[in-house]
Amino acid sequence: MHPVKKLKMKANNKAIINDRNIEVFIGQTLRIGVILSCAVALIGGIMYLLHHGMQTIPDYTTFHGEDASYTSLPGIIKGLGTGSATEIIQLGVAILIATPILRIVLSLVSFILEKDKLYVVITLIVLGVIMTSMFGGLKV
Amino acid sequence: MLILTFTLILLAGAYMAGLVGSLTGLGGGVVVIPLLTLVFHIDMRYAIGAALVSSIATSSGSASAYVKEGITNIRVGMFLEIATTIGAVCGALIAVYTPVNFVAILFGATLIFSAAMTLRKKNEHADMEGSPLAEKLKLNGSYPTKDGVIHYKLKNVGGGFSIMTLAGVLSGLLGIGSGALKVLAMDTAMRIPFRVSTTTSNFMVGVTAAASAVVYLQRGYIDPGIAMPVIIGVLAGALTGTRLLMRINPKKLRLIFSIAITIIALQMIYNGLQHKF
């Protein structure tokens, strides 16, 4: 059977696709996201320590702001190409931030499958706020 | 100090932060900020960035365990996230115009409030009478216990929503999950049983923190040299804490930690008033 049709059938049969199944799936996604971000940060961290471990720490007592290349996704991706350790760590951070956002997207899918229009709208509002925060140029 | 030494000390400190954060239910962020600013004299802004990262790590890390138990009320969480995410984005915007020392004082005050909240009597009671708005928004729910499924209904949706907006602003401004305020809104205002409100609050912390973390990442608050040991340490500490919670009664520990956290909070307020940040 076509997978989309199968999903639709499942949606009609509430006993098969219920809140619990989706929640367990969401739980697994969260765990994978956390493990992945931790692993990426660890790899970047080991590289960082191998290259810079014997240097004295940068001056963290004053704030330097956003001059560094790893403060934007394009910057992080560019740094990954050169194998830069700090950018690999920041990729781990980016995965970590993306995990709860992915959870919202998965909840949206589950509300669509349940045909719960009210909560599809509510979830879209929450996603909209997060997207505004990401792309709205709010960093000032 | 060498980067290697700094990373290892911070890793151990973040582990403790994650452990204390999960045992008290306050989250990793509340211990990370004093650790970085008072012990390492790191700029408040880097500390806020690190706290945000650890809030998301503890939230996602423990949520996967909570979800299995089927207690989290996803609809309540999602509806109130409208309030917390808008609040968090506002908080992140206000942060630019807020003096660092004021942020430290506000953090101290929030910390004392949170410590007191962990000791209060919890709302174990499931209400049978809800408000029409809660019915309309499909917020009423149920959760499984040893003695069967317990159904509960909600009240005062507007009041809870307002407190949640404030919780979001504080979360965006300070980088912490402000779980205590979230539980207050759900327990006290909306009359949700605390087992549900604790796990639902935990679900919301990650989403709220992610909403402002994006802005802070772009502003350069999240430094890889600090974030790396913090993520790994806090997560490992939170995992140990969750395991410990199954075997010990955290009541006495909570009291000890609440006193310790209050002392740390007073130190933050004092330093803030002395303009030491």
Side-chain angles (χ1 to χ4, degrees):
Chain A
M1 198 187 299
H2 194 267
V4 175
K5 259 188 187 165
K6 214 170 171 181
L7 267 179
K8 271 184 184 161
M9 264 189 75
K10 273 189 177 177
N12 292 333
N13 188 348
K14 275 197 174 159
I16 296 176
I17 197 149
N18 56 19
D19 278 12
R20 293 291 304 135
N21 290 340
I22 293 164
E23 277 174 36
V24 170
F25 178 67
I26 289 175
Q28 281 165 344
T29 312
L30 285 179
R31 187 173 310 148
I32 292 167
V34 170
I35 293 171
L36 192 66
S37 76
C38 209
V40 172
L42 192 64
I43 293 167
I46 291 168
M47 285 172 63
Y48 176 68
L49 288 179
L50 285 177
H51 288 293
H52 307 284
M54 290 302 142
Q55 296 168 9
T56 48
I57 54 167
D59 182 18
Y60 288 131
T61 55
T62 48
F63 183 63
H64 304 290
E66 52 187 291
D67 43 352
S69 56
Y70 43 70
T71 58
S72 68
L73 205 51
I76 292 172
I77 292 166
K78 212 174 147 197
L80 287 177
T82 60
S84 165
T86 47
E87 271 81 352
I88 295 176
I89 296 173
Q90 291 298 79
L91 178 70
V93 172
I95 295 172
L96 191 70
I97 297 175
T99 310
I101 301 174
L102 185 64
R103 179 171 188 172
I104 300 288
V105 175
L106 289 175
S107 299
L108 178 68
V109 173
S110 98
F111 288 132
I112 291 173
L113 288 176
E114 285 175 38
K115 298 208 171 98
D116 188 337
K117 275 186 199 148
L118 177 64
Y119 274 85
V120 170
V121 173
I122 287 174
T123 312
L124 280 175
I125 295 173
V126 175
L127 260 184
V129 174
I130 294 174
M131 291 302 147
T132 313
S133 156
M134 284 172 100
F135 306 110
L138 300 180
K139 65 172 184 169
V140 191
Chain B
M1 196 190 290
L2 290 178
I3 286 185
L4 183 65
T5 332
F6 173 78
T7 306
L8 291 177
I9 298 174
L10 198 52
L11 194 64
Y15 180 80
M16 289 309 294
L19 188 65
V20 174
S22 83
L23 286 178
T24 52
L26 292 176
V30 292
V31 193
V32 163
I33 292 186
L35 175 76
L36 293 180
T37 55
L38 297 179
V39 181
F40 288 99
H41 303 287
I42 290 171
D43 188 279
M44 188 73 188
R45 280 155 282 202
Y46 289 129
I48 290 174
L52 267 176
V53 169
S54 47
S55 294
I56 302 176
T58 34
S59 164
S60 300
S62 49
S64 54
Y66 285 145
V67 160
K68 264 198 284 182
E69 295 170 32
I71 305 171
T72 313
N73 189 326
I74 303 273
R75 285 196 168 78
V76 168
M78 195 62 76
F79 172 66
L80 293 176
E81 265 161 17
I82 298 178
T84 59
T85 50
I86 291 176
V89 174
C90 292
L93 286 179
I94 304 169
V96 189
Y97 308 101
T98 314
V100 179
N101 286 293
F102 178 74
V103 172
I105 297 168
L106 191 63
F107 175 78
T110 311
L111 211 52
I112 292 174
F113 167 75
S114 305
M117 281 290 291
T118 63
L119 300 177
R120 90 203 181 291
K121 206 174 167 296
K122 298 190 169 63
N123 170 32
E124 305 246 17
H125 185 71
D127 263 5
M128 281 294 109
E129 261 177 78
S131 66
L133 188 57
E135 189 73 42
K136 222 175 183 178
L137 289 166
K138 292 183 256 186
L139 298 177
N140 302 325
S142 61
Y143 64 95
T145 63
K146 278 178 289 185
D147 317 312
V149 175
I150 294 185
H151 292 268
Y152 57 91
K153 290 188 172 174
L154 275 64
K155 279 184 190 144
N156 201 356
V157 176
F161 196 83
S162 324
I163 303 175
M164 281 297 172
T165 314
L166 183 66
V169 172
L170 279 180
S171 166
L173 204 53
L174 305 174
I176 57 171
S178 55
L181 211 55
K182 290 191 173 76
V183 173
L184 177 78
M186 287 189 270
D187 264 36
T188 315
M190 302 173 78
R191 309 294 299 159
I192 302 175
F194 96 99
R195 273 164 59 87
V196 180
S197 60
T198 319
T199 52
T200 308
S201 155
N202 178 71
F203 159 51
M204 297 171 63
V205 165
V207 178
T208 313
S212 50
V214 185
V215 180
Y216 282 123
L217 180 78
Q218 291 169 342
R219 276 191 202 146
Y221 277 47
I222 302 175
D223 186 274
I226 301 171
M228 179 260 297
V230 165
I231 294 182
I232 298 167
V234 165
L235 258 176
L239 278 177
T240 315
T242 319
R243 293 239 169 99
L244 271 178
L245 272 179
M246 291 173 189
R247 274 186 282 146
I248 53 165
N249 183 1
K251 230 177 183 172
K252 242 189 200 151
L253 273 178
R254 276 206 184 122
L255 183 66
I256 298 167
F257 285 141
S258 298
I259 294 168
I261 283 170
T262 308
I263 295 168
I264 294 170
L266 290 173
Q267 180 77 44
M268 291 290 291
I269 294 175
Y270 177 79
N271 282 13
L273 290 172
Q274 298 287 318
H275 291 273
K276 282 191 183 165
F277 288 104

